[in-house]
Amino acid sequence: MAGAAPPAPLPAAAPAGSEITGFDISPDLVAAATARAGDVARFVEADVSRYRPDSPFERLASRFGVMFFEDPAAAFANLRHWLAPGGQLAFAVWGPAAEVGFMAQLRGTIASVMDVAASDPDAPGPCRYGDPAKLIALLEGAGFRDAASRTVHCSLPVPGDTPAAAAAFLLASSSMAAPLADAPEEVRERAHARLTEVCARHLEDGRVRMPARVEIVTARG
């Protein structure tokens, strides 16, 4: 729901005495997470689509990560071995791109100043499971039980102290960054100016906030 309080961080939500382990394929992100978390959690550099932990987990959680597997069926089949019998998983994935404000506004803005290639809805990408039925089918095919989804509509703050700074952040951090970087400077300037205007229309209490739809997909081992 829009305006709802964010969920508690994993350490706060986990039962007392839990051991929390995070995984990422990027050594830089693992190093950054380790420095930030201290003794609260440990982090391992690994490709979770292939890696097998020494012992199963009672809970698996992912926030906007499972949409990028090259072979999702194999990846979820592997993750099934990570979960202890009766254990639970919860994956957050973006809804349809048209309902994720910053993605829709960004793509529309860039498409107004240069040609943008059509996206493949089944290829690895942020809105691959905008229809959560695809992810539920994959989880069921991998042997998970009671797979279900819940839609959450929210308003997300965009980093940046001003609309111009928020626009610059969106342009630099999206999948559009690479093709835009190869465009003429005049095109880049027009894209930034137009997206700044868009961000200004979403200014609330001094922050740029855009609507988003998130799907929370859950299942049991």
Side-chain angles (χ1 to χ4, degrees):
M1 295 176 62
L10 281 176
S18 296
E19 295 182 4
I20 301 173
T21 304
F23 298 86
D24 200 281
I25 199 170
S26 165
D28 291 341
L29 290 180
V30 168
T34 299
R36 181 176 179 181
D39 296 331
V40 174
R42 73 183 187 98
F43 294 87
V44 176
E45 179 188 340
D47 180 351
V48 301
S49 68
R50 298 181 176 86
Y51 180 83
R52 290 285 179 91
D54 294 332
S55 56
F57 291 89
E58 295 294 331
R59 301 285 190 274
L60 295 180
S62 172
R63 186 175 65 174
F64 309 119
V66 300
M67 305 91 75
F68 299 97
F69 294 135
E70 290 293 337
D71 185 344
F76 291 119
N78 184 59
L79 287 173
R80 174 64 187 83
H81 293 281
W82 285 44
L83 200 59
Q88 299 179 346
L89 67 79
F91 295 157
V93 298
W94 295 115
E99 296 184 48
V100 181
F102 68 92
M103 294 186 192
Q105 299 285 5
L106 179 61
R107 185 176 182 85
T109 298
I110 294 180
S112 73
V113 298
M114 60 182 289
D115 291 334
V116 175
S119 59
D120 180 354
D122 294 320
C127 296
R128 186 184 208 173
Y129 302 126
D131 176 1
K134 294 181 180 180
L135 181 51
I136 289 173
L138 284 164
L139 292 172
E140 291 175 340
F144 291 97
R145 297 177 294 159
D146 301 331
S149 65
R150 176 172 61 91
T151 299
V152 176
H153 293 282
C154 54
S155 178
L156 297 179
V158 179
D161 296 334
T162 64
F169 172 84
L170 291 174
L171 290 170
S173 60
S174 80
S175 59
M176 298 289 183
L180 191 62
D182 294 332
E185 181 177 358
E186 185 268 339
V187 171
R188 298 197 301 271
E189 290 176 351
R190 274 196 293 148
H192 181 256
R194 292 187 182 185
L195 192 57
T196 296
E197 293 175 359
V198 171
C199 288
R201 294 197 292 269
H202 290 275
L203 200 61
E204 300 177 18
D205 299 324
R207 294 293 304 274
V208 175
R209 295 180 179 273
M210 291 193 178
R213 171 180 160 182
V214 175
E215 295 291 330
I216 307 298
V217 177
T218 56
R220 293 192 302 120

